[in-house]
Every structure is written in structure tokens, then in C-alpha cells.
């Protein structure tokens, strides 16, 4: 039983590690969703989401998106770092959301 | 002379104003609290009570853009006693854009309910699904070290977490014979040299991040003390979770679906029960599982200011504890709720819940419990 447990754990942790390594390339993301901001050249056409759009999409996954006016800029910086780790958000997501909250409060 | 006075005055004003500039380090107090009323009917036996308020302050200390300490305390009145707890207390450092390290006592990413959804102002119902919380099979928190991060895959996103912790202790029945074989995730002291390894991978396949699938695993080679008969009793747990949150225009609102399946497999061991003063050995296949799925709908696009604050919730959950154990149990629960959101972080919840339990601690029959709940939760 102990061997079986170790085997299952090894398989699952190996899969996790493989995915982590596979995803750690520097390939630029190319999104094809609704455009709110367009950047890039003729070769590398990239459509990026705004902080407001990410605020609506990301925060609502767990709780109602917060009102920007409820905290000041300093507080939003602290909350953003906390939420980046708690909800496991990408750096781009939290950076844009934080910028939006600070600009809209 | 006048110019000198004005100059000194403006200098003093500037110094005063500067004291209001943000400091390099930042400290913040957040948290949540809730209270309510419950009416329960358990097999014809009724009881009703106002619930003692629960207060859970969260302390956030941001040392720099990469370094932070976070801690959450819990204060809850249980009867006449004030119950206190340390939900988590950890220090975290952002190593790079894809990796953060945490150390201390932290919420475990075993599925998503306990890590992300359990706070009263986030949980859409007053209660937790079966299988979570006291006597639950899903680990909630532990002491150790964790690496976590997220990647943008060019639309889809992926997040991960891997951790090493002290791990659980198996209840051998010496203190609570009716719980022999149960894993105790609330025993944080390390009882042996073995550690628990775990992790979760979450995949958000849609570019609007509306859907997330997650798979979690948690294992340890030993759950018993070094000098005990249970030293070699290992455990393997896994979980699948799903989240789907989408604003749907034809429905004029937001649909929120959550689900999680937990499975616990503990190595078979021999336990002892005392019958007529004689110690009798017994064992059982120590496998448990639990499941919940929840659907909520908020008509936020309604033209009525009152209706757009409402939320309708339904949840099914079940829990299966091992056959042959003293804590053998098969339970199913249905919960229905109507919430009114006073703000994005304050909600009044009205709910009805019915639970059918076969077995359970020292019980062989079937028990049905119906309950009415009114809870008021606020985050701050």
C-alpha cells in the first residue's frame, strides 16, 4: 500500500512538474478575445485586455468585484500583492487590475 | 520679515504634508465577521438560537513589492466559551513573475473551497458543504513551505502550487475510540519524520477566465508517531474542482457554478474497540469521499435596484465515510438560499438545508436534519 501511495504521488507530482517546466518558456501570449487595447507590430499582433476588463473577469471568479473607491492607492497595492498569491493570479493580471483600481478610486 | 515668516510657514506645512505620504512599508487590517440565527429540527427535536458573532481579522504587512506577511485570526463564541484560532500566518516572497514562495502556516490548495471560498462573505451559503471543516476529509491548512505561480498561455492560463508540510496525524482511537482511523488535519505538531507532499494545478482554458479546472493531490508515507504501530500508515488524497462564472445576457445576470470532489485513501491498519472490558481488534478499508456542486444566479442586469442585489443559490453535497469504521457514514445534503447583497462585501443570507445522514458517530440509524438559517456576513 505504501508503495502504491508513493507511485501515485510520484506520477501526479511528475505531471505537475512537467507542466510547470513546459509552461515556463518566454513565448509571448497572443490573445484573440475582445479587444480593448491593441499593441504590437505587423508581425507580432497582440491584443491585450484592459485592467477594467480583468477586474470584472478575475475578481468575480471568487467574490463580487470590489469597488475601487473603497480603498486608497496604498491599500490597493497591499491588497493586490495579497490577492496575487491567494488567488494565484498572473503578474500581468494583477498589475493591470491594480492600475485600474488606483486610477478609478 | 513677512517673507521669512511665509517661508518658514510653507516649510512647516510641507513637512506636515509629507507625513501623509505613503510609507515604504505598509500595514493593513482586513478581515470579516458574521452572525445569524438558526432553527434546526433533528429527528423531531427542535432547537433555535442566535449565533455568537464570529470575528476574523486579517493582518497584512507589505514590506516591499515582493515581500509580505499575512495572518488571520479567528474569534468565535461557542456556547459560553470564546474559541480562538490561527487560520494562517505566513511570509511570502515573489521570486519571479511565475513563482512565489510561502512559508509558515498557510491554507492548502487542496481544491478551491477552503483556500478561496470558505470565508463567510464569499461563501454563498451559511454552511460549508459536507466533507469540509470539522471531521472533514479535505485538508484545510498546515505548516510548511510552498511554491506557487501562474502562467499566461496566450489566452488560457495555468496556475500551480506545490508544498511540503508537517502532515496529518492519524487518530489511533486511544483518545476518541469512535474516530479511530480518521486523519486529524488540525494537529499541526509533526509526529514523525515523514512530511506531506501536495500540490494543485489549475487550468483556465477560456480566454475570459470564466472556467477553471483543478486537480489536487496530497500524500504522506506516515501518519503515526515514530514509536507507534501506525508509523507506516500512509495516506493519499486527491481532488478535482471546477469553477465557472459567466455573465449571460439572455439571463440578465451572472451564473456561478462551483464543484469539488475529494477522495481520501488511508492505508489499512488495525484499531481496537473495548467491548465488555475486552479489547477487540478490527480493521476496515479506510477510503472516504465527498462531493459538492453549487449553482448561483445573480440578476445583476435587472432594471430594478432591489432585484439586482438578489442572488439565488442551490447546493448538493454528499459525504461517504468508510464502511466498518466507528465513524461510518453516508450523508447527503441539499441547501437552497436567497441572498441580498448590501454591498460587494456584505450579504444577508436566507437558506433552508436538509441533511440525511446514515450512521455517523455512535449512531446506526438514519437521521434527518432540517434547518433554517439567516446569516449576515461582512468583509472589511
Amino acid at each position: 500500500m505504501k508503495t502504491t501511495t508513493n507511485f501515485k504521488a510520484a506520477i501526479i507530482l511528475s505531471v505537475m512538474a512537467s507542466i510547470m517546466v513546459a509552461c515556463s518558456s518566454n513565448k509571448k501570449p497572443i490573445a484573440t478575445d475582445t479587444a480593448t487595447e491593441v499593441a504590437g507590430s505587423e508581425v507580432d499582433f497582440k491584443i491585450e485586455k484592459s485592467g477594467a476588463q480583468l477586474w470584472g473577469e478575475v475578481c468575480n471568479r471568487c467574490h463580487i468585484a470590489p469597488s475601487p473607491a473603497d480603498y486608497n492607492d496604498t491599500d490597493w497595492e497591499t491588497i493586490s500583492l495579497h490577492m496575487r498569491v491567494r488567488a494565484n493570479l498572473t503578474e500581468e493580471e494583477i498589475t493591470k487590475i491594480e492600475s485600474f483600481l488606483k486610477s478609478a478610486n | 520679515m513677512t517673507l521669512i515668516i511665509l517661508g518658514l510657514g510653507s516649510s512647516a506645512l510641507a513637512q506636515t504634508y509629507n507625513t501623509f505620504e505613503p510609507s515604504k512599508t505598509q500595514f493593513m487590517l482586513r478581515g470579516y465577521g458574521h452572525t445569524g440565527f438558526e432553527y434546526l429540527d433533528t429527528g423531531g427535536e427542535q432547537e433555535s438560537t442566535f449565533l455568537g458573532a464570529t470575528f476574523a481579522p486579517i493582518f497584512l504587512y507589505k514590506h516591499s513589492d515582493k515581500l509580505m506577511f499575512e495572518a488571520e485570526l479567528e474569534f468565535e463564541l461557542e456556547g459560553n466559551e470564546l474559541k480562538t484560532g490561527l487560520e494562517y500566518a505566513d511570509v511570502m516572497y515573489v521570486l519571479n513573475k511565475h513563482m512565489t514562495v510561502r512559508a509558515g502556516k498557510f491554507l492548502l490548495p487542496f481544491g478551491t473551497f477552503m483556500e478561496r471560498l470558505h470565508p463567510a462573505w464569499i461563501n454563498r451559503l451559511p454552511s460549508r458543504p459536507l466533507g469540509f471543516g470539522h471531521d472533514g476529509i479535505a485538508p484545510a491548512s498546515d505548516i510548511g513551505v510552498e511554491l506557487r505561480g501562474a502562467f499566461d498561455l496566450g489566452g488560457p492560463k495555468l496556475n500551480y502550487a506545490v508544498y511540503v508540510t508537517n502532515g496529518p496525524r492519524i487518530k489511533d482511537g486511544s483518545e476518541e475510540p469512535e474516530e479511530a482511523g480518521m486523519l486529524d488535519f488540525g494537529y499541526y505538531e509533526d509526529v514523525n519524520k515523514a512530511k506531506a507532499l501536495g500540490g494543485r494545478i489549475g487550468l483556465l482554458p477560456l480566454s475570459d477566465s470564466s472556467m477553471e479546472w483543478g486537480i489536487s493531490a496530497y500524500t504522506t508515507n506516515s501518519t503515526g508517531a515514530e514509536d507507534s504501530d501506525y508509523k507506516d500508515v500512509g495516506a493519499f488524497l486527491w481532488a478535482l474542482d471546477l469553477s465557472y462564472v459567466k455573465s449571460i445576457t439572455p439571463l440578465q445576470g451572472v451564473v456561478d457554478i462551483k464543484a469539488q470532489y475529494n477522495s481520501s485513501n488511508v492505508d489499512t491498519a488495525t484499531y481496537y474497540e473495548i467491548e465488555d472490558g475486552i479489547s477487540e481488534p478490527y480493521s476496515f478499508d479506510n477510503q472516504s469521499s465527498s462531493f459538492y456542486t453549487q449553482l448561483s444566479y445573480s440578476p445583476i442586469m435587472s432594471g430594478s435596484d432591489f432585484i439586482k442585489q438578489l442572488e439565488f443559490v442551490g447546493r448538493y453535497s454528499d459525504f461517504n465515510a468508510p464502511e466498518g469504521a466507528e465513524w461510518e457514514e453516508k450523508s447527503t445534503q441539499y441547501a437552497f438560499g436567497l441572498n441580498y447583497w448590501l454591498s460587494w462585501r456584505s450579504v444577508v443570507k436566507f437558506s433552508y438545508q436538509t441533511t440525511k445522514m446514515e450512521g455517523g458517530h455512535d449512531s446506526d440509524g438514519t437521521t434527518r436534519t432540517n434547518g433554517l438559517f439567516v446569516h449576515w456576513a461582512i468583509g472589511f
Side-chain angles (χ1 to χ4, degrees), chain B residues 125-142:
Chain B
L125 286 162
S127 63
R128 294 175 179 178
L130 296 175
F132 294 93
H134 184 64
D135 290 350
I137 61 169
S141 63
D142 205 350

Side-chain angles (χ1 to χ4, degrees), chain A residues 49-52 54-55 58 76-77 79-81 83-84 89-103, chain B residues 65 94 97:
Chain A
K49 291 184 179 181
S50 68
L54 289 170
W55 165 75
V58 175
W76 280 127
E77 289 172 9
I79 294 168
S80 295
L81 182 56
M83 290 311 303
R84 172 184 179 172
L89 308 180
T90 66
E91 184 182 64
E92 185 183 19
E93 282 175 328
I94 201 60
T95 302
K96 287 187 172 183
I97 291 170
E98 181 185 324
S99 297
F100 163 71
L101 291 166
K102 288 162 74 174
S103 69
Chain B
D65 290 341
V94 180
K97 66 186 295 186

Side-chain angles (χ1 to χ4, degrees), chain B residues 50-317:
Chain B
F50 286 101
L51 296 168
T54 297
F55 171 49
I58 296 173
F59 302 90
L60 302 176
Y61 171 68
K62 180 170 172 281
H63 184 79
S64 69
D65 290 341
K66 294 186 174 183
L67 180 61
M68 170 176 264
F69 174 81
E70 60 172 7
E72 179 181 328
L73 297 174
E74 280 185 327
F75 298 93
E76 184 178 7
L77 271 176
E78 277 194 354
N80 292 317
E81 296 204 358
L82 178 64
K83 182 183 159 194
T84 60
L86 180 64
E87 182 91 345
Y88 57 82
D90 59 78
V91 60
M92 61 179 80
Y93 186 80
V94 180
L95 295 170
N96 58 51
K97 66 186 295 186
H98 299 304
M99 188 176 285
T100 298
V101 59
R102 283 204 295 184
K105 183 171 188 270
F106 50 86
L107 296 174
L108 295 179
F110 186 79
T112 54
F113 184 82
M114 289 309 296
E115 186 188 37
R116 302 181 188 175
L117 307 173
H118 86 275
W121 71 278
I122 296 176
N123 186 5
R124 300 302 203 257
L125 286 162
S127 63
R128 294 175 179 178
L130 296 175
F132 294 93
H134 184 64
D135 290 350
I137 61 169
S141 63
D142 205 350
I143 301 170
V145 63
E146 177 199 56
L147 292 173
R148 61 167 47 209
F151 298 88
D152 189 331
L153 306 178
K157 295 179 182 67
L158 182 142
N159 58 67
Y160 71 90
V162 289
Y163 54 86
V164 182
T165 62
N166 282 340
R169 178 191 69 156
I170 195 162
K171 293 184 177 180
D172 59 10
S174 58
E175 295 171 6
E176 297 168 295
E178 72 280 8
E179 295 187 350
M182 192 182 283
L183 291 180
D184 184 0
F185 293 104
Y187 195 87
Y188 297 103
E189 184 181 335
D190 207 354
V191 295
N192 50 46
K193 290 174 185 161
K195 299 291 178 280
L197 299 171
R200 177 181 179 273
I201 289 176
L203 176 65
L204 294 87
L206 307 178
S207 60
D208 63 1
S209 299
S210 57
M211 178 183 286
E212 180 173 5
W213 287 96
I215 180 170
S216 308
Y218 178 97
T219 186
T220 179
N221 285 333
S222 176
T223 56
E226 286 286 339
D227 55 352
S228 76
D229 293 339
Y230 304 95
K231 178 188 169 189
D232 292 327
V233 177
F236 177 76
L237 294 82
W238 60 276
L240 289 173
D241 61 83
L242 166 70
S243 170
Y244 181 71
V245 182
K246 184 78 174 175
S247 179
I248 300 176
T249 304
L251 295 177
Q252 293 198 310
V254 173
V255 170
D256 186 335
I257 298 171
K258 296 282 190 292
Q260 183 169 329
Y261 175 79
N262 305 314
S263 176
S264 170
N265 303 278
V266 180
D267 291 349
T268 302
T270 300
Y271 306 96
Y272 298 90
E273 60 181 346
I274 307 295
E275 295 233 352
D276 301 327
I278 301 170
S279 181
E280 296 281 348
Y282 73 101
S283 66
F284 54 90
D285 188 11
N286 199 345
Q287 296 193 34
S288 309
S289 65
S290 72
F291 171 74
Y292 90 92
T293 183
Q294 177 179 292
L295 169 67
S296 67
Y297 165 68
S298 307
I300 61 168
M301 298 176 208
S302 167
S304 164
D305 287 340
F306 176 76
I307 291 176
K308 69 169 57 171
Q309 302 301 112
L310 296 177
E311 183 178 38
F312 304 89
V313 195
R315 185 185 71 199
Y316 166 82
S317 63

Side-chain angles (χ1 to χ4, degrees), chain A residues 72-86:
Chain A
N72 60 34
D73 288 2
T74 308
D75 289 343
W76 280 127
E77 289 172 9
T78 305
I79 294 168
S80 295
L81 182 56
H82 173 64
M83 290 311 303
R84 172 184 179 172
V85 178
R86 181 76 177 264

